[in-house]
Amino acid sequence: MYRHFAEVDAAGTSPLYERVALALSESEEALRAIEAAPARKRHPTVILAALHDLALAGRAQALAAAYAAADGDAAAGAAIDTLLHMTDSVVAIAVRRRTRTNETGRCAVLYPAVAEAASRVGADSVGLINVGCPAGLNLHVDRVGITYSNGQSLGDPSSPVQLTSSVVGDRPIPTRAMPEVVARVGVGLDPVDVTDADEARWLRACLPPDQRERIARLQAEMALAATAPPLLLHGDAVEVLPDAFARVPADALPVVTTTWALSHFPLESRLRFLHRLDEAAAGRAVAWVSAEGVGVAPSIPTLGDRRASGHSIIGLALLDRSALRAEAIGRCWSRGRLLAWLADS
């Protein structure tokens, strides 16, 4: 597993982790230490994140120095030493934490889709309800700047968070601005409070230490989110949704967003999720913006695409009383780094 991670997953993206993972795979002592963790917590992404967390916390200074210098050989030796001498600490972090990915490309997909939803309903304001993104960074989609490869731009050009996305095909991205966001609610089993130093450190620890651009972007996103922390509701997303809807003012359009979250739900829960949206729409219009694998989001057309085809469908569902209008408004790749807009706007 560690050799495969080094040669396939880390190769070309993180030379530092490629070297460290390979060294761990060749150390019988290190592998025995890793086996102290439960089987589901032995994956390289978990153990490497736990080691990185110790380095960031100042508890593994040799490892921290090697990471700061991007010295692969020194990092490999320090990682093994840390793992052997702090096995209990590494395992404790691995058991307590879940690895997090907060890819910023999602906002490049969400911004035009949320603006499209508001336009179709004629809403002057929206309340964002994000399901499944633990740190709630997507809830600040209106506060970032986005530049597309065709020269179009959306959002705030002066924002400290600037994103890019490549447009696929000839159809331009709608350039209408998102209306005022009057509520930001995150829903999940264990949402992350970015104003908590330990939680923020863990988010950073989940990124390879030599991916400095991604780390800088994450830190900028967390700083932006900390200026207006969203409301985070803990619990099963399907069960907590009614409470989330109640937090959106009556004169605003609730827009639920899911980005590669529903694939973690069993089919029954996905159908119950759709039922919750229908219940909320009994007294007001509700929108659902999704970016999910082909066939994952219930009611969203697949455009004839095959499952596991390497791209995702951008869906827009509008619910108002008994009516459901669901449409595939685009396709995207690499978590939003490439985007093809399909809807007539």
Side-chain angles (χ1 to χ4, degrees):
M1 184 192 299
Y2 277 77
R3 186 182 306 113
H4 182 274
F5 180 87
E7 296 175 349
V8 177
D9 298 313
T13 61
S14 175
L16 203 60
Y17 270 4
E18 181 181 4
R19 180 69 186 90
V20 171
L22 187 61
L24 293 176
S25 77
E26 296 172 344
S27 170
E28 292 185 9
E29 289 182 305
L31 294 177
R32 280 198 297 270
I34 291 170
E35 287 180 346
R40 62 188 176 84
K41 293 291 189 175
R42 296 173 189 169
H43 192 274
T45 55
V46 181
I47 298 299
L48 290 172
L51 288 167
H52 193 191
D53 189 62
L54 289 172
L56 291 173
R59 299 173 60 192
Q61 295 183 358
L63 183 60
Y67 280 168
D71 186 331
D73 290 337
I80 292 174
D81 287 344
T82 302
L83 188 55
L84 297 183
H85 292 98
M86 302 182 69
T87 303
D88 290 346
S89 296
V90 173
V91 170
I93 295 171
V95 169
R96 183 166 59 95
R97 299 289 197 181
R98 293 174 56 194
T99 52
R100 309 290 192 176
T101 56
N102 295 281
E103 296 296 337
T104 52
R106 301 174 184 190
C107 288
V109 170
L110 289 176
Y111 192 109
V114 173
E116 180 75 14
S119 174
R120 294 190 182 189
V121 175
D124 295 323
S125 60
V126 297
L128 298 178
I129 301 173
N130 186 217
V131 173
C133 187
L137 301 181
N138 290 343
L139 291 167
H140 297 273
V141 57
D142 58 312
R143 304 176 66 205
V144 307
I146 309 163
T147 302
Y148 296 93
S149 60
N150 61 0
Q152 293 181 280
S153 61
L154 289 172
D156 182 0
S158 64
S159 172
V161 179
Q162 295 294 320
L163 313 176
T164 59
S165 181
S166 295
V167 175
V168 177
D170 298 328
R171 192 179 293 255
I173 307 298
T175 55
R176 65 175 62 88
M178 190 183 303
E180 180 185 8
V181 177
V182 295
R184 307 176 196 271
V185 185
V187 175
L189 287 175
D190 52 354
V192 175
D193 179 2
V194 297
T195 64
D196 182 287
D198 290 342
E199 299 289 333
R201 186 183 68 243
W202 175 248
L203 287 181
R204 181 179 169 183
C206 290
L207 296 179
D210 54 346
Q211 293 188 349
R212 302 188 189 281
E213 184 178 332
R214 289 182 68 193
I215 290 173
R217 191 164 57 223
L218 173 63
Q219 290 178 314
E221 283 193 315
M222 290 193 296
L224 181 67
T227 63
L231 174 64
L232 300 177
L233 300 180
H234 297 244
D236 179 277
V238 176
E239 301 304 322
V240 176
L241 264 179
D243 189 14
F245 280 116
R247 306 303 179 100
V248 178
D251 58 350
L253 172 69
V255 181
V256 179
T257 61
T258 64
T259 54
W260 300 282
L262 294 185
S263 60
H264 301 290
F265 290 24
L267 177 58
E268 179 187 1
S269 294
R270 289 181 229 166
L271 296 176
R272 285 172 51 233
F273 166 81
L274 189 62
H275 182 63
R276 289 294 192 200
L277 299 183
D278 187 58
E279 288 178 335
R284 68 196 302 186
V286 171
W288 168 34
V289 169
S290 60
E292 303 284 353
V294 177
V296 171
S299 81
I300 301 299
T302 62
L303 303 173
D305 298 345
R306 293 177 298 175
R307 291 178 181 268
S309 56
H311 68 273
S312 299
I313 299 289
I314 305 168
L316 173 57
L318 298 173
L319 303 92
D320 192 359
R321 295 177 173 83
S322 60
L324 166 64
R325 291 175 290 158
E327 181 181 344
I329 60 174
R331 296 184 178 96
C332 65
W333 296 258
S334 298
R335 293 294 199 261
R337 294 186 184 91
L338 293 93
L339 165 65
W341 191 263
L342 303 177
D344 293 320
S345 301

